[in-house]
Amino acid sequence: MQRRSFSAPLLALCFLLLATASLEAQQFKALLVTETAGWHHPSITAGIPALQALARRHEFQLDRQQQAIPLSDKALENYDVVIFLSTTGDIFTDEEQAAFERFIQSGKGYVGIHAASDTEYEWPWYTRLVGHMFKIHPRNQTAMLEVVDPDFPGLERWPERMLWTDEWYDFQEATVEDLNYILTVDESTYDAKVKWGENASEGMGDFHPLAWYHEYDGGRAFYTALGHIDDTYQDDFFLQHLYGGIYWAATGHGLKTKK
């Protein structure tokens, strides 16, 4: 029996169709921003492959923003959510800021991880999107994490309290009033005192938030302060928490229906 041979153009077409089908099967599309104009967290290097693994596991498309290509309406139009992974400082031009505002206003989502709250302090719209901006932190320590809302996506398997080691951010006052808090840290379980020159803190008190979400300006925003330490990005609990936030911000799905 004579074997059928395939021409190079036919094989190329087959690969193209398979690739197209794979992209069409993705649940949603996410853009990853890792740009820094201040402190560069080494854990960004650990976070990128962790997010790529989440994208493979949960079948969503993840593209990393190329700094040489500015944010614009066209660059953002095909994405459902933008993820800021420990960004810092003033990273966008006025034109990029305006494009990102329109992106959220069109019903899309934002995810901020760790130092995303140490980004764009002079952009009031962004500070309201994040909800709290970073103030200061003490040294890395072990403390007790507490779940405020176990019904938020990604926290279904978490215990009510869990021992955790991280860099515990103190935050400035909330920039909006509609934040839904989902994780806190028990300040009685670590030394919250810290002083950087005139910037000092003894903690945030009985209620020290670490993760929250809200609807904002037509879209959705999720933020978590966890993720400073490299190995956090190999922790199943953290990855569940992170994907839950990405999933909700991208789709609006996952919240428990109120009866």
Side-chain angles (χ1 to χ4, degrees):
M1 180 182 295
Q2 185 176 5
R3 285 185 178 177
R4 179 180 296 176
S5 60
F6 294 92
S7 66
L10 181 58
L11 285 173
L13 177 61
C14 289
F15 283 124
L16 178 61
L17 290 173
L18 286 171
T20 302
S22 176
L23 288 176
E24 289 178 348
Q26 304 301 297
Q27 296 192 77
F28 53 83
K29 296 180 180 179
L31 181 66
L32 176 61
V33 177
T34 60
E35 189 172 352
T36 58
W39 175 256
H40 180 89
H41 281 71
S43 59
I44 292 174
T45 303
I48 293 169
L51 285 162
Q52 291 170 335
L54 276 181
R56 291 191 299 271
R57 167 65 181 86
H58 295 287
E59 296 194 350
F60 67 92
Q61 181 179 329
L62 179 71
D63 299 326
R64 188 176 178 189
Q65 183 218 9
Q66 301 300 313
Q67 294 181 20
I69 303 175
L71 293 186
S72 66
D73 295 329
K74 184 173 180 58
L76 293 169
E77 64 182 353
N78 292 322
Y79 292 102
D80 301 289
V81 62
V82 177
I83 303 168
F84 285 41
L85 174 59
S86 282
T87 53
T88 55
D90 186 0
I91 58 175
F92 295 131
T93 65
D94 291 345
E95 291 76 14
E96 289 177 298
Q97 290 177 2
F100 187 63
E101 289 183 17
R102 290 189 291 269
F103 172 80
I104 295 296
Q105 291 162 355
S106 71
K108 303 300 181 66
Y110 160 85
V111 168
I113 304 171
H114 196 56
S117 62
D118 189 29
T119 303
E120 295 284 0
Y121 289 90
E122 303 304 317
W123 180 10
W125 182 92
Y126 179 80
T127 69
R128 294 189 294 270
L129 175 76
V130 178
H132 285 274
M133 299 303 288
F134 167 72
K135 181 181 185 294
I136 198 171
H137 65 77
R139 67 186 186 281
N140 294 358
Q141 296 172 68
T142 299
M144 294 299 296
L145 272 179
E146 297 183 329
V147 175
V148 177
D149 182 4
D151 291 327
F152 188 78
L155 296 179
E156 304 88 354
R157 303 174 190 174
W158 279 50
E160 292 182 4
R161 282 169 61 89
M162 177 166 50
L163 204 63
W164 194 271
T165 304
D166 218 308
E167 182 179 72
W168 306 112
Y169 273 11
D170 277 15
F171 296 97
Q172 300 175 19
E173 293 293 327
T175 54
V176 289
E177 297 180 352
D178 66 341
L179 299 178
N180 303 288
Y181 297 102
I182 59 177
L183 289 179
T184 61
V185 61
D186 182 350
E187 286 189 359
S188 71
T189 62
Y190 75 102
D191 182 4
K193 294 180 181 179
V194 58
K195 184 175 177 60
W196 299 350
E198 295 183 359
N199 186 8
S201 175
E202 294 188 0
M204 297 182 67
D206 293 337
F207 186 77
H208 186 143
L210 288 176
W212 53 82
Y213 70 97
H214 67 135
E215 294 184 355
Y216 176 70
D217 203 13
R220 294 169 298 276
F222 164 85
Y223 173 81
T224 180
L226 305 182
H228 173 75
I229 297 173
D230 291 16
D231 287 348
T232 305
Y233 293 89
Q234 300 178 31
D235 186 284
D236 287 341
F237 284 108
F238 176 68
L239 295 175
Q240 291 168 22
H241 167 53
L242 191 52
Y243 179 63
I246 294 170
Y247 171 69
W248 175 78
T251 68
H253 298 157
L255 296 182
K256 187 175 182 179
T257 303
K258 295 181 180 180
K259 296 182 179 180

